[in-house]
Amino acid sequence: MESLLIPFLILIAVAVAVALAARAWSRRRRTAKEPAQQPPAESAELAREAAAKLSEDEHRRLYSLIAQGQAMAAIKLYYEVSGQGLRASRDAVAALAAHPQPFRSPAQEPSEPEDDDEPPQRFPYRYRAIASKGDVTREVSSNMLNDEIYGRIRTLARSGNIEAAATALTRHSDITMKQAREFIALLDD
């Protein structure tokens, strides 16, 4: 009987080792199948809220870091000036990068629809709008464009008001009316 004790103990040890290995493997597979926690959607609203927490100098420095591709430094700057947590700072910087915001002083209310008499505002970053259809691609890059203005231009184009859309595009960029019409014609909505 004693001769069977050692093989029996070895068998139990192997069974325990196999059970622990199977458990670890299933945990690893389960975590690999579950998608990583995605940050909240980078919305324009989050970007507006984040931009409102910045002074003019902080706003300029943050967008400078974003433009240079220094995301970690931008997150660190936002973390320090906003007093928010690291994850919230990361999400805010991602939203600011995806939806560039002009600086608004705390007393300044959100602007009313633009008056044609005033020159367009210049932003501390260049906005790139790209339109393509088939093999033809056009790009407009300007520091007088942002998501809101480009959205209005696209809305005008979608509603069939091509001339108004082209006029607004030339007003907020340095392209000719002909180039603006070509660009608007490529908007595929």
Side-chain angles (χ1 to χ4, degrees), residues 44 63 67 95-102 121-131 138-154 169 172-175 183 187:
Y63 273 108
L96 287 167
H99 305 281
Q101 300 294 310
Q121 178 182 1
R122 292 194 177 270
F123 303 108
Y125 53 85
R126 289 197 66 79
Y127 184 89
R128 290 179 52 201
I130 300 172
R138 297 281 185 268
E139 176 181 336
V140 175
S141 180
S142 175
N143 63 346
M144 295 179 281
L145 276 173
N146 64 14
D147 276 340
E148 182 181 341
I149 295 166
Y150 185 58
R152 280 190 250 147
I153 292 168
R154 288 176 65 108
L169 187 58
H172 290 92
S173 63
D174 298 322
I175 63 173
F183 183 86
L187 291 177

Side-chain angles (χ1 to χ4, degrees), residues 18-149:
V18 167
L20 289 175
R23 186 175 176 194
W25 184 71
S26 69
R27 280 187 184 170
R28 196 173 300 154
R29 281 191 64 213
R30 197 174 327 134
T31 57
K33 284 184 180 178
E34 293 174 1
Q37 282 283 337
Q38 295 295 326
E42 299 151 354
S43 67
E45 182 62 32
L46 177 59
R48 275 190 288 278
E49 291 171 5
K53 296 177 182 173
L54 301 171
S55 71
E56 186 172 6
D57 181 55
E58 294 162 348
H59 188 272
R60 183 183 45 73
R61 289 188 323 182
L62 183 84
Y63 273 108
S64 174
L65 291 170
I66 290 171
Q68 294 171 14
Q70 296 179 1
M72 294 304 292
I75 292 169
K76 181 180 177 190
L77 172 67
Y78 189 84
Y79 174 78
E80 291 170 354
V81 300
S82 71
Q84 291 189 332
L86 191 57
R87 182 171 291 162
S89 296
R90 178 199 65 193
D91 294 343
V93 168
L96 287 167
H99 305 281
Q101 300 294 310
F103 174 74
R104 290 191 175 107
S105 62
Q108 182 182 356
E109 292 295 318
S111 61
E112 294 298 318
E114 292 187 20
D115 186 12
D116 287 336
D117 298 333
E118 296 178 19
Q121 178 182 1
R122 292 194 177 270
F123 303 108
Y125 53 85
R126 289 197 66 79
Y127 184 89
R128 290 179 52 201
I130 300 172
S132 65
K133 192 178 280 184
D135 293 338
V136 180
T137 301
R138 297 281 185 268
E139 176 181 336
V140 175
S141 180
S142 175
N143 63 346
M144 295 179 281
L145 276 173
N146 64 14
D147 276 340
E148 182 181 341
I149 295 166

